[in-house]
Amino acid sequence: NSQMRLAGAAARTAAAAVAACGLLAPLAGAFYLPGIAPHDYKAGETVELQVNSLTPTLNADNKLESVLSLGYYDERFHFCRPEGGPKAVHESLGSILFGDRIYSSAFDLHMLRNNKCQALCQQTIPGKDAGFINDKIMKGYNYNWLIDGLPAATIKVDDRTQQQFYSVGFGLGSSLAGQLVPHFHNHYDITVQYHTVDSVHHRVVGVIVAPTSRNTALPKAGAVTCDAAEPMALHEDKDNTVVFTYSVKWEASEKSWATRWDDYLHAVDPRIHWFSLINSMVIVVFLTAMLGLILMRTLRKDIARYNSDDAEDLQEDFGWKLVHGDVFRAPLHFELLAVILGSGYQLFWMVLTTLVVALLGFLSPSSRGSLVTAMLVLFIMFGFSAGFNSAHMYHSFGGVSLRRIIIMAVLFVPGVCWVVLMAVNLCLIAAHSSAAAPLGTLLGVMALWFLISIPLTITGAYFGFRRKTVDAPVRVNQIPRQIPDQPWYLRPVPSALMGGILTFGAIFIELYFIMNSIWFHKVYYVFGFLFMVFLILVVTTAEVTVLLTYFHLCAEDYKWHWRSVYTAGA
């Protein structure tokens, strides 16, 4: 009977499991990562064109003359507005902090419906605003549009490989070198590439815009024509009448929705990344060889000599052996040092986790601001690590006030970041830039800080303070030893420069691409190279710190704690 009851229970459990799988199967088939689920359009269905802030890039003289983004609906541009006014699009926290301001537009696009010439509106631009627009054209400002999450791009050709690629954004106007009055782009030839899923549904897989400058006149009767040959030049001494027009062309493509970002993610020259990686590895091998030479020869010889029974050898001790009674002495302002070390742990785990998540493909470029959002959320979540390591290091240095280290860990690094954010935001507001974060976003960041980060930091500090301290292997002398005069290359500035040059040399090429993507609003995607360079940076920093710390101890300078921090961070 018991066996029959067990068999019946097993059968009922199996049936329940099969039923649960049947219920979850449709959900599993429809699972997509947030922000990257495909949208299927039917013929004639409205396809929304969204507009983002205008951003600066290289001008005609190949110079970057501005870093401030400007709102698309800034009154000085006089762009056409949709009926009822533009509506803001919901954005992620990272997208807002990075300067995205996405709104609806007056463009009317329908799937598979071509339009050779369509008027948006007619605007009168005063001479003062014409000067403002001309200045932005000369500084190389770009339009930034979005259709189905894809940025509008222009087709460019790689000078080295002659391969075509999509360059995100297109010019506000055109200005040749030496041209006095630039031409304002007021006509847009929009080509939307689509992929047919079945006989009914279609997906957007590419957006190309070719802007032109046309001095079009709006007729009193009849349809507008977009064949004006004269360019549109804005004169700063009078009012200018501008007619905004556009055309739409739908182009079938064999490109699938899953690979639609491939044309945007164009590597200028992949060999540069390999050169960066090899350069970093050469530096690591060089430092490892130096460190191994010291540890295997000099240090081993010194230790063997120090442990020998020869009294004469003991009397001739010099260098790092003479400071063994002071090397574990707590440094000045050790509370601040403990907080910086704890925040370093927090930053390290945040960067490492973000890179792993990016390598796994969870940070899609179609989800705007996902990278910044992930970094901010992970930095807040790893507040536990900051509190734990700060309190443990503080207690190991001899600190006794848990409340003091909690207050410093909670306020120092996050407070400095908050002050810098507010100062930059005030400067952006004063410059009338759209990149200034709105009040609601700032309150949201502050809520994350106070409601999540601070409790996690306090919890981590509590457990870190209760953890067993790191005990010194030797007794610390009561009277500090006098430090002799140091060689010039071991003084603070030269030693920091030596350490900084080696670590910077390991990452500067990849750092160039990161900064280039930030300032020129490009998509950075080579996280594999970045992850390897990050690991090399960690190893290089550790080896440089150990090497220079050993040199300082050999020079009888036992105040190595702060030196190791700013040498590695230089």
Side-chain angles (χ1 to χ4, degrees), residues 283 286-287 497-507 540 544 547-548:
I283 294 177
F286 170 73
L287 290 173
L497 285 177
M498 285 190 293
I501 289 174
L502 289 172
T503 51
F504 180 75
I507 64 166
T540 305
V544 166
L547 195 62
L548 291 180

Side-chain angles (χ1 to χ4, degrees), residues 4 54 75 78 84 90 108 159 162 166 182 228 296 338 369 378 395 405 414 418 480 484 486 495 499 501 555 565:
M4 292 178 63
L54 281 78
E75 295 180 353
H78 297 273
H90 177 71
D108 188 22
D159 295 333
Q162 300 303 313
Y166 291 4
M296 294 181 63
L378 289 172
H395 198 194
I405 193 61
W418 179 257
Q486 299 294 302
S495 62
I501 289 174
V565 171

Side-chain angles (χ1 to χ4, degrees), residues 327-331 337 397 558-565:
V327 73
F328 293 103
R329 187 182 305 279
L337 179 62
F397 282 142
Y558 56 85
K559 296 181 178 180
W560 59 273
H561 303 83
W562 281 106
R563 286 285 186 93
S564 64
V565 171

Side-chain angles (χ1 to χ4, degrees), residues 399-458:
V400 295
S401 176
L402 177 60
R403 181 182 302 176
R404 182 177 184 181
I405 193 61
I406 286 177
I407 293 175
M408 293 185 66
V410 163
L411 296 179
F412 182 68
V413 173
V416 170
C417 294
W418 179 257
V419 170
V420 172
L421 174 63
M422 293 301 298
V424 172
N425 207 57
L426 290 176
C427 294
L428 293 174
I429 292 174
H432 304 286
S433 172
S434 63
L439 179 61
T441 303
L442 296 177
L443 292 178
V445 174
M446 182 175 288
L448 291 174
W449 180 18
F450 277 90
L451 299 181
I452 300 178
S453 180
I454 289 181
L456 286 175
T457 305
I458 294 174

Side-chain angles (χ1 to χ4, degrees), residues 516-533:
N516 188 66
S517 64
I518 293 175
W519 294 116
F520 294 104
H521 306 275
K522 304 298 181 182
V523 180
Y524 185 86
Y525 65 96
V526 284
F527 292 105
F529 283 105
L530 183 60
F531 181 74
M532 290 186 287
V533 171

Side-chain angles (χ1 to χ4, degrees), residues 1 129 165 179 244 248 251 366 384 388 411 470 480 527:
N1 291 335
D129 293 341
F165 66 95
Q179 183 178 338
F244 292 90
V248 181
E251 186 178 276
S366 60
F384 180 89
F388 181 88
L411 296 179
V470 179
F527 292 105

Side-chain angles (χ1 to χ4, degrees), residues 185-215:
H185 288 159
N186 61 327
H187 176 80
Y188 319 101
D189 292 316
I190 305 172
T191 301
V192 184
Q193 298 173 340
Y194 67 94
H195 177 73
T196 301
V197 181
D198 50 43
S199 58
V200 178
H201 300 98
H202 313 275
R203 294 174 179 174
V204 176
V205 295
V207 182
I208 303 170
V209 178
T212 53
S213 178
R214 302 181 183 181
N215 192 4

Side-chain angles (χ1 to χ4, degrees), residues 297-310 313-314 320-321:
R297 296 183 60 184
T298 310
L299 194 58
R300 184 175 61 181
K301 181 179 178 181
D302 289 344
I303 292 176
R305 183 181 170 200
Y306 185 72
N307 293 331
S308 65
D309 296 331
D310 193 344
D313 288 343
L314 291 177
W320 63 272
K321 299 176 293 299

